[in-house]
Amino acid sequence: MKEYDVVIIGGGPAGMAAAISAYDNEGKVLLIEREEKIGGILKQCIHDGFGLVKFNEQLTGPEYANRYIDEIKKRKIEILTETFVLKIDEKESFIMEFMNREGVQKITTKTIIFATGCRERTSKQIFIHGDRPAGIYTAGTAQYFTNILGFLPGKNCVILGSGDIGLIMARRLTLEGAKVQGVYEIKSEPSGLTRNIRQCLDDFDIPLYLSHKITRVFGKDRITGVEICQIDENFQPIPSTLKKIECDCLILSVGLIPENELIQELGIKINKFTNGPEVDNNFMSTEISGIFICGNAVHVNDLVDYVSESGEIAGKKAVEFIKNGEKTFEKTSVVFDEQFLYVVPQYYNKNTKEDLLFYFRSKNNFNDQKINIIINDYIISKKYKKLKSAEMERLTLKNDFESNLKKINLQME
Amino acid sequence: MKIENIKKQIEKKFGNKISVSEKNGAVLLEGKLNKWEEVIFCGKIAAKSEMHRGVINKISVEGIEIPKPIMPRIEDSIFAKDNYDVVIIGGGIIGCSIARELSRWDIKILLLDKENDFAMHTSSRNDGMIHPGIASKPGTKKAYYNVLGNKMYSEASKELGFDFKRIGSLIMYDGWYMRFLKPLIGQRAKKNGIEMEYINKNRIKEFEPNVNSECVGAIFLPSTGVISPYKATFAYAENAVQNGVKIGLETFVKGMRVENNVISSIQTNRGEIFTKLVINAAGVYSDEIADMAGDQFFTIHPRKGEIIILDKNTHGLVNSVVSKADFLSKKNTKGGGIVKTIEGNLLLGPSAYEQPFKEDYSTTESSINSVFEKERKILNISKNDIITYFSGTRASTYKEDFIIEKSQKIKNLVHAAGIQSPGIASAPAIAVEIEKICVNILKSMMDLKRNNKFNPKRNEQNISAFIDEKERNRLIHENPDFGKIICRCETISAAEVKNAIHSVIPALTIDAVKRRTRVGMGRCQGGFCTPLITKLIHEETGISYTEITKKGLGSNLLVAETKVSEVDKHERV
Amino acid sequence: MNLTCIVCPNSCELFIEKNGDKLKVSGHMCKRGIEFAENEIKAPKRVVCTTVKTNLQNTPRLPVKTDKEIPKEKIFDVMKEVNKLEVINKTKVGDILIKNVCGTEANIVATDNFLF
């Protein structure tokens, strides 16, 4: 059986960054990807807005992916595409079984980095009822049809959910000649980035209806329309607002769910706020050492730049973990108050010497909000002009703390 | 009960609105009422008559128009003037299993369905449970065929290559009255010939450690099994075709030419078909087929049910089929339970309620909620575990029993009609019985010989849900396409998809591929694989992307290719 | 009037006052916000990202974009021009497929590699 130091599952922005960083730190790396080409979901994200933080440029998804692919090509990183991981067994090392056109193979590895991304929430998960007509797609599926295969899923579309992918598709479909009737969002706030509301909806006069939901879907063979209505503060439909809208396509952008099937099979628990496994500041699982998880598999990010960042950290730290004799250290739990939806990572190694990095989401929208970060006996304050629940924040702190990190507490004032 | 008594009981409630008469040995009800429940009520009264063999309930409801069957959109004459020995109307598990048994004989068989694929109705809309037989009253056809069919699945699944497992069922019961009913259940099990074990309330945790065992006691029936009902239907159909059966999809029977109580031909949208014998396996429309032949003695009232499927990560919660029974319930089914499906999902339901629409498969929030809330009482599940839900209708007659017999009136018509639950469990036994009946009739019409080329083993490759890595490796070395995964939720390979597309009953729509391989049935519900399946269908058959449908004509996936409408010729760079 | 700056993820809410011909911009965290506000009011510009047809059955579309922002009102004209093309030659990221599209001074460039 072939032996590796680091096997990375998933060749998207997280996995590619992890592969490069693990390789540069002299690990023996294998990158496994189930599609024909690496690049992950970026291949179909032909719009720009990627890389503003990392490269200080506005890149399209494929351009961002190619930056990493070019770096990978400069190195001798072993990559297996069209390869699917079947099983992982935890022994002294990890034994991984995967399959591709060559057959079923087993390898051993000292560490595994999961960069498995996420999947889209389906119509059944939001309990859309009625018949089962064709023409109902999640935004990512519609995006694949439009951008990769070159086919329009509909000519007269309604979009449910103001998540980023839905907003992006509103623009994309309009550019390719379809009509988008409107975007309907159940919350009283949009879920996607503000700049996407501007560039994708406002630019094209596509209306955004907040506090609206779809109550019925019409059509037996193909969708012919939807019934929408406004909802009150208790999310109950207001009957007088029921309205039928004709359409031939319903696009759903109702959330992403981190993809963690293999992780769960290993017995690792999923955090109910992030929908992903819990990790420490090295992106290592707090339940099974040697298992690392990065990118959208940990929590759904808004910016791919941060996805790559977590992958880079995981790759480096996986190799470091091996070099340290696979030792684990005491961890401090990251505590936060109820104004935060979640904070990642959930744990910090007490002996961390690097600068501190947190990603978090606020439960509500705040203006001029002060956040106090308590590290041991120190309080560091950061002020945010705007905090939105739809926008993930990244916070860094210089690590000037002489002693170990005994207490980490995030509070909103 | 005499007709006069039925009349009296109905009059008591509805006055003179309903006319009660006799026709073809059955009770005929006509008139108009205000609610569907009232129609059912009258039908049930009439069914009590032991002197009559069925109920033809033609009572209509004010304000409800029952739609005609959804017809295929093709009109052609591919079957025009063709001559067959047997035409089977209906391609669900009943029709397909009958076709397979009849293919043991050297006869020309045509299996018809009005849809573009088999198993599109009840056969793909049920819980896949091979019932033990305890639910059916001893002496009924349901009890007889269920118990026999259940036994036959061990052999049938091996021959035809589909997964089958006996996982047993645990029925917990509530209620002080159970002390009195207990011996009666035991008696029924004995009469029906079913193995049964009484389980003390304290032992329930041995069988089902995660189930809420607040109850008086339970019974365990080890013979209960699970299959994938649509995959099993195709296993039968493919073996039938392999053994010479011809198929006619999108073929709708419009009428029959009957002369001297003999069907001489069948009129369809694809031509007039001549045949020696007709088998009525038309599910919810088996009453209309009987009527067309001039032999109506029953009507179908389509009892609807909803089913919920839970994520595979709940599969460890239950070991068998678990339900809590209310034996005093007046409903016709136990009301469903929790099934550990053959693929490892948990299935909740089905529910059961009366409604008039035979092909209405819509789901509603309230009906799905009630299925969920019922099972949530016995298992700690959350709504977040739900990955999909769907509905189906049962072909129930008012006598609430199968009709497995040659027509008493029409000399060359055989009924396999009114097959409701436990239809799936009974299918292998029903098929063998229908084969016997047909053979008897055919022997009088022709020189009947066996089909010496009959092969009970299905040719088509069955990829079990349980293959291990050795088997997978072997398959990949035979065909590398087995190594390319298309549906990553269910681990289905490109080879399986291509095999489905090229099978003897080609899968040319997304749902057809789904029924044969399970692609799209996982937690992402086709989000990732639908474009890949569409691409494969296009590449393997040449059907243009905009013509590929989800489930047949009208359900196109895509409306237009981008960038082609504006320009005749593209500028090449 | 209010405007959300779309230059970077900060999405600053800009407050713009018109003083005759001059614009007073506040709420920005960097200079790019002022530039954005000025352009947005006078002559809004956008980058157009789309795909172009290719002759390969396995990769029938190639993603492209305008290498600079173009006047907002010319978006659909640019789409029309891009939709006339079919890529048949080896193309790499950054290769120009249309120069000065619709007279905007922006070029249509490939954002992924084709046959490369």
Side-chain angles (χ1 to χ4, degrees):
Chain A
M1 265 196 291
K2 272 186 151 175
E3 283 171 32
Y4 293 90
D5 292 328
V6 184
V7 172
I8 299 156
I9 306 178
M16 291 191 292
I20 291 167
S21 133
Y23 182 90
D24 287 350
N25 281 282
E26 288 158 15
K28 184 167 181 218
V29 176
L30 171 64
L31 175 62
I32 296 182
E33 165 56 51
R34 67 169 187 244
E35 293 193 66
E36 281 171 38
K37 292 197 255 201
I38 57 175
I41 206 76
L42 291 172
K43 298 195 291 291
Q44 63 183 65
C45 298
I46 59 136
H47 51 282
D48 67 357
F50 302 94
L52 279 163
V53 173
K54 194 134 188 76
F55 300 112
N56 206 15
E57 295 176 63
Q58 289 247 31
L59 300 175
T60 61
E63 281 172 315
Y64 186 99
N66 277 311
R67 296 281 169 101
Y68 281 89
I69 295 171
D70 289 342
E71 287 303 312
I72 287 177
K73 284 195 180 142
K74 292 182 190 156
R75 299 158 170 75
K76 287 205 181 74
I77 298 174
E78 199 179 333
I79 304 178
L80 285 175
T81 55
E82 291 191 288
T83 299
F84 189 81
V85 177
L86 289 167
K87 210 164 53 152
I88 298 169
D89 273 316
E90 196 191 338
K91 300 271 153 78
E92 280 118 43
S93 292
F94 296 102
I95 302 176
M96 185 185 290
E97 191 180 285
F98 56 77
M99 60 181 279
N100 53 31
R101 290 202 156 102
E102 318 279 300
V104 178
Q105 277 180 71
K106 270 202 179 120
I107 50 142
T108 61
T109 178
K110 300 203 175 82
T111 65
I112 303 178
I113 301 181
F114 286 85
T116 45
C118 52
R119 66 178 187 275
E120 297 184 278
R121 185 164 276 117
T122 68
S123 61
K124 307 294 171 25
Q125 288 176 286
I126 58 166
F127 301 103
I128 288 190
H129 284 285
D131 278 307
R132 300 295 153 82
I136 301 178
Y137 295 110
T138 50
T141 309
Q143 190 179 55
Y144 190 104
F145 274 124
T146 309
N147 295 341
I148 304 287
L149 296 178
F151 286 91
L152 280 180
K155 277 222 165 102
N156 189 13
C157 313
V158 164
I159 299 182
L160 179 63
S162 59
D164 286 316
I165 315 175
L167 303 176
I168 295 289
M169 281 315 289
R171 174 176 62 182
R172 186 79 189 103
L173 292 168
T174 307
L175 287 178
E176 288 291 354
K179 168 120 185 86
V180 176
Q181 300 269 9
V183 174
Y184 296 85
E185 166 60 51
I186 200 171
K187 299 205 274 262
S188 51
E189 289 284 325
S191 325
L193 300 172
T194 313
R195 62 200 174 110
N196 284 333
I197 308 271
R198 303 284 167 258
Q199 297 179 95
C200 300
L201 301 188
D202 295 347
D203 271 7
F204 299 96
D205 295 322
I206 297 171
L208 169 63
Y209 301 95
L210 297 171
S211 298
H212 272 74
K213 81 178 231 183
I214 288 190
T215 45
R216 269 189 74 180
V217 152
F218 296 100
K220 271 201 138 173
D221 301 316
R222 233 197 108 98
I223 186 170
T224 55
V226 294
E227 182 184 73
I228 51 103
C229 74
Q230 210 173 321
I231 52 171
D232 62 25
E233 330 76 58
N234 299 316
F235 290 95
Q236 293 308 308
I238 302 170
S240 57
T241 62
L242 275 174
K243 195 168 142 196
K244 182 170 174 192
I245 301 180
E246 278 181 26
C247 66
D248 71 355
C249 182
L250 174 62
I251 305 251
L252 304 172
S253 173
V254 292
L256 297 173
I257 303 167
E259 197 66 271
N260 282 303
E261 190 176 324
L262 289 165
I263 286 269
Q264 284 181 282
E265 279 173 22
L266 287 168
I268 293 175
K269 287 195 294 291
I270 300 299
N271 176 299
K272 64 175 174 180
F273 296 107
T274 58
N275 273 323
E278 296 191 346
V279 292
D280 67 14
N281 54 310
N282 295 331
F283 287 95
M284 188 166 87
S285 163
T286 49
E287 289 175 63
I288 301 180
S289 38
I291 297 282
F292 293 77
I293 311 105
C294 61
N296 275 350
V298 178
H299 66 128
V300 177
N301 286 262
D302 301 325
L303 298 183
V304 72
D305 314 65
Y306 300 150
V307 163
S308 302
E309 175 177 55
S310 70
E312 198 180 319
I313 296 171
K316 173 173 175 210
K317 292 297 177 180
V319 177
E320 219 173 271
F321 173 73
I322 300 169
K323 285 187 179 151
N324 284 338
E326 303 193 23
K327 271 204 294 241
T328 56
F329 303 96
E330 251 195 286
K331 299 184 217 281
T332 301
S333 149
V334 173
V335 177
F336 51 90
D337 68 29
E338 340 74 56
Q339 300 303 336
F340 291 88
L341 180 61
Y342 66 74
V343 179
V344 167
Q346 289 88 355
Y347 294 91
Y348 247 87
N349 284 294
K350 288 201 161 134
N351 61 353
T352 299
K353 292 294 168 236
E354 290 120 340
D355 289 346
L356 306 181
L357 166 66
F358 300 97
Y359 302 106
F360 68 87
R361 275 191 195 272
S362 159
K363 255 196 196 147
N364 296 303
N365 297 350
F366 297 109
N367 285 327
D368 295 317
Q369 179 64 49
K370 190 160 145 195
I371 293 187
N372 292 327
I373 305 115
I374 303 165
I375 309 279
N376 298 344
D377 297 321
Y378 299 93
I379 301 179
I380 300 110
S381 298
K382 292 238 166 173
K383 219 178 186 181
Y384 286 85
K385 247 192 170 163
K386 245 190 309 155
L387 271 184
K388 282 192 169 175
S389 57
E391 296 182 21
M392 196 194 84
E393 295 293 338
R394 175 182 179 274
L395 167 60
T396 50
L397 283 182
K398 272 209 128 2
N399 190 348
D400 296 329
F401 311 103
E402 311 94 35
S403 55
N404 280 348
L405 305 166
K406 292 184 213 94
K407 180 178 175 185
I408 303 177
N409 209 324
L410 279 83
Q411 289 171 359
M412 290 211 201
E413 210 154 84
Chain B
M1 201 194 302
K2 296 206 176 122
I3 279 281
E4 290 73 39
N5 285 348
I6 303 172
K7 263 194 191 139
K8 260 199 209 131
Q9 288 198 41
I10 291 177
E11 252 170 46
K12 231 200 254 171
K13 259 212 147 176
F14 301 113
N16 281 325
K17 288 198 207 158
I18 304 300
S19 99
V20 181
S21 56
E22 282 170 315
K23 181 185 174 188
N24 199 10
V27 179
L28 171 62
L29 302 171
E30 290 166 299
K32 208 174 201 148
L33 289 170
N34 290 321
K35 286 196 251 158
W36 183 255
E37 294 84 61
E38 296 172 352
V39 175
I40 300 291
F41 177 85
C42 294
K44 283 190 171 168
I45 302 274
K48 288 192 189 154
S49 164
E50 276 147 17
M51 286 170 52
H52 297 92
R53 61 191 182 118
V55 176
I56 305 167
N57 191 342
K58 293 226 152 126
I59 303 172
S60 60
V61 178
E62 188 72 55
I64 295 185
E65 198 193 313
I66 310 265
K68 289 209 184 329
I70 300 173
M71 298 210 339
R73 300 185 197 188
I74 303 185
E75 277 286 338
D76 61 27
S77 40
I78 64 168
F79 292 121
K81 312 284 191 203
D82 276 2
N83 256 296
Y84 286 92
D85 297 315
V86 178
V87 169
I88 303 169
I89 304 174
I93 198 168
I94 300 300
C96 292
S97 56
I98 291 171
R100 188 261 187 162
E101 298 311 324
L102 282 175
S103 68
R104 294 174 192 271
W105 300 89
D106 185 15
I107 49 178
K108 287 179 70 179
I109 307 166
L110 177 64
L111 172 60
L112 301 178
D113 199 286
K114 72 178 179 80
E115 304 303 337
N116 59 71
D117 199 20
F118 291 133
M120 278 181 75
H121 293 272
T122 313
S123 296
S124 61
R125 299 165 177 283
N126 60 76
D127 59 11
M129 186 177 155
I130 306 301
H131 289 252
I134 196 79
S136 309
K137 245 168 77 180
T140 58
K141 294 207 177 73
K142 288 204 279 193
Y144 173 77
Y145 287 104
N146 184 165
V147 176
L148 191 51
N150 179 311
K151 292 198 182 96
M152 291 170 73
Y153 264 100
S154 313
E155 187 65 33
S157 59
K158 284 201 203 91
E159 278 183 344
L160 296 167
F162 59 87
D163 291 325
F164 167 66
K165 257 191 176 167
R166 280 190 204 287
I167 58 175
S169 51
L170 185 76
I171 308 177
M172 299 182 294
Y173 41 83
D174 258 336
W176 53 268
Y177 47 82
M178 277 320 297
R179 257 192 289 142
F180 307 98
L181 288 184
K182 208 168 128 174
L184 293 174
I185 301 171
Q187 244 181 55
R188 175 184 281 200
K190 215 175 174 184
K191 275 198 191 155
N192 284 349
I194 310 164
E195 226 187 291
M196 193 187 89
E197 196 189 330
Y198 290 114
I199 310 292
N200 196 303
K201 162 186 168 133
N202 305 324
R203 281 189 64 210
I204 291 179
K205 289 272 183 230
E206 274 171 45
F207 287 78
E208 297 291 349
N210 299 307
V211 160
N212 173 7
S213 48
E214 279 296 311
C215 63
V216 164
I219 56 174
F220 184 72
L221 302 134
S223 63
T224 303
V226 281
I227 59 166
S228 174
Y230 35 90
K231 277 190 171 184
T233 304
F234 281 100
Y236 270 110
E238 284 164 7
N239 188 235
V241 171
Q242 179 195 325
N243 285 311
V245 171
K246 293 276 178 290
I247 62 177
L249 292 167
E250 295 190 284
T251 309
F252 182 80
V253 176
K254 292 185 186 169
M256 295 186 198
R257 205 193 297 265
V258 183
E259 287 148 352
N260 292 327
N261 288 334
V262 171
I263 301 168
S264 53
S265 70
I266 298 174
Q267 279 79 49
T268 74
N269 58 319
R270 310 196 79 171
E272 186 178 20
I273 305 171
F274 293 90
T275 179
K276 293 192 176 76
L277 199 133
V278 174
I279 300 176
N280 176 11
V284 289
Y285 291 116
S286 54
D287 53 350
E288 305 201 15
I289 295 295
D291 194 18
M292 267 182 224
D295 186 32
Q296 186 168 44
F297 57 94
F298 62 95
T299 48
I300 301 285
H301 58 285
R303 199 161 40 244
K304 192 169 172 178
E306 266 100 357
I307 284 175
I308 295 175
I309 304 282
L310 302 184
D311 192 304
K312 277 185 176 173
N313 60 22
T314 58
H315 78 103
L317 293 176
V318 153
N319 295 321
S320 59
V321 176
V322 180
S323 59
K324 207 169 200 187
D326 180 4
F327 283 103
L328 290 185
S329 168
K330 293 207 169 123
K331 291 208 190 129
N332 270 295
T333 68
K334 294 192 309 299
I338 303 173
V339 178
K340 182 168 182 168
T341 71
I342 191 96
E343 296 93 2
N345 294 91
L346 287 195
L347 180 153
L348 311 179
S351 52
Y353 58 96
E354 302 292 354
Q355 54 88 56
F357 306 107
K358 291 179 171 179
E359 290 184 81
D360 180 354
Y361 299 128
S362 59
T363 55
T364 64
E365 194 172 345
S366 54
S367 48
I368 295 299
N369 277 342
S370 67
V371 171
F372 184 78
E373 292 307 323
K374 179 167 189 276
E375 305 312 331
R376 203 229 281 264
K377 292 195 185 118
I378 54 176
L379 194 64
N380 189 13
I381 44 183
S382 124
K383 270 211 165 134
N384 287 333
D385 294 324
I386 298 178
I387 63 170
T388 190
Y389 38 85
F390 56 91
S391 68
T393 54
R394 303 163 175 90
S396 331
T397 64
Y398 284 97
K399 288 278 185 181
E400 301 295 348
D401 199 6
F402 298 157
I403 299 171
I404 313 279
E405 59 194 54
K406 66 180 252 187
S407 165
Q408 289 181 22
K409 187 169 168 210
I410 307 298
K411 301 192 186 123
N412 62 343
L413 174 65
V414 180
H415 296 294
I419 311 297
Q420 52 168 295
S421 177
I424 298 279
S426 310
I430 294 174
V432 166
E433 179 65 24
I434 298 289
E435 180 205 352
K436 252 197 241 149
I437 296 172
C438 290
V439 162
N440 267 328
I441 301 175
L442 287 169
K443 277 193 170 143
S444 68
M445 295 171 160
M446 60 188 286
D447 180 19
L448 189 64
K449 290 198 181 71
R450 285 206 174 261
N451 174 7
N452 6 12
K453 292 205 208 96
F454 179 77
N455 185 354
K457 284 201 155 278
R458 181 166 67 126
N459 280 346
E460 306 272 343
Q461 214 152 21
N462 169 56
I463 307 309
S464 166
F466 310 108
I467 55 171
D468 62 9
E469 91 236 26
K470 264 211 195 95
E471 176 62 13
R472 207 183 274 282
N473 211 9
R474 187 190 68 78
L475 287 167
I476 295 173
H477 283 108
E478 246 178 47
N479 177 1
D481 273 341
F482 275 106
K484 163 78 188 197
I485 293 298
I486 298 287
C487 166
R488 86 298 179 278
C489 296
E490 298 291 305
T491 318
I492 312 285
S493 70
E496 292 159 82
V497 175
K498 287 185 186 177
N499 285 346
I501 295 171
H502 294 294
S503 85
V504 289
I505 307 167
L508 304 174
T509 66
I510 298 291
D511 282 2
V513 175
K514 194 175 171 180
R515 270 184 294 273
R516 289 161 186 63
T517 63
R518 279 186 60 83
V519 290
M521 293 198 180
R523 58 176 64 101
C524 92
Q525 288 290 294
F528 281 116
C529 68
T530 303
L532 303 179
I533 308 289
T534 311
K535 186 164 186 257
L536 275 173
I537 294 177
H538 166 73
E539 287 172 350
E540 296 293 311
T541 65
I543 301 175
S544 71
Y545 278 98
T546 47
E547 281 177 343
I548 297 173
T549 64
K550 179 181 184 292
K551 48 183 178 165
L553 280 172
S555 64
N556 306 60
L557 295 170
L558 306 162
V559 302
E561 187 176 352
T562 58
K563 307 170 200 303
V564 293
S565 56
E566 303 130 34
V567 185
D568 288 327
K569 202 172 166 192
H570 283 86
E571 192 189 310
R572 310 185 117 198
V573 292
Chain C
M1 64 175 283
N2 288 337
L3 212 61
T4 309
C5 179
I6 59 174
V7 178
C8 90
N10 283 323
S11 301
C12 299
E13 285 291 335
L14 306 174
F15 184 64
I16 297 151
E17 281 176 70
K18 262 192 163 165
N19 258 329
D21 260 353
K22 277 193 150 192
L23 285 174
K24 182 168 174 225
V25 182
S26 53
H28 54 285
M29 284 207 257
C30 78
K31 280 185 279 167
R32 290 187 292 179
I34 306 178
E35 204 189 315
F36 170 77
E38 284 171 353
N39 281 326
E40 198 63 9
I41 305 262
K42 281 189 245 153
K45 293 196 257 180
R46 298 284 182 267
V47 167
V48 177
C49 299
T50 177
T51 56
V52 71
K53 187 175 174 347
T54 76
N55 66 341
L56 241 203
Q57 222 213 157
N58 211 35
T59 45
R61 294 289 180 271
L62 178 69
V64 299
K65 72 177 188 188
T66 53
D67 59 1
K68 324 212 248 288
E69 289 180 312
I70 58 132
K72 202 166 133 185
E73 65 271 14
K74 288 212 166 169
I75 290 178
F76 286 97
D77 293 330
V78 168
M79 283 297 299
K80 222 175 173 183
E81 286 308 303
V82 171
N83 287 349
K84 288 183 184 165
L85 295 185
E86 184 182 12
V87 178
I88 59 171
N89 295 312
K90 252 194 192 168
T91 310
K92 60 182 200 299
V93 178
D95 282 354
I96 297 175
L97 297 171
I98 303 178
K99 263 194 115 86
N100 188 14
V101 65
C102 296
T104 60
E105 289 177 9
N107 303 317
I108 298 291
V109 297
T111 61
D112 202 353
N113 299 314
F114 180 67
L115 296 176
F116 209 83

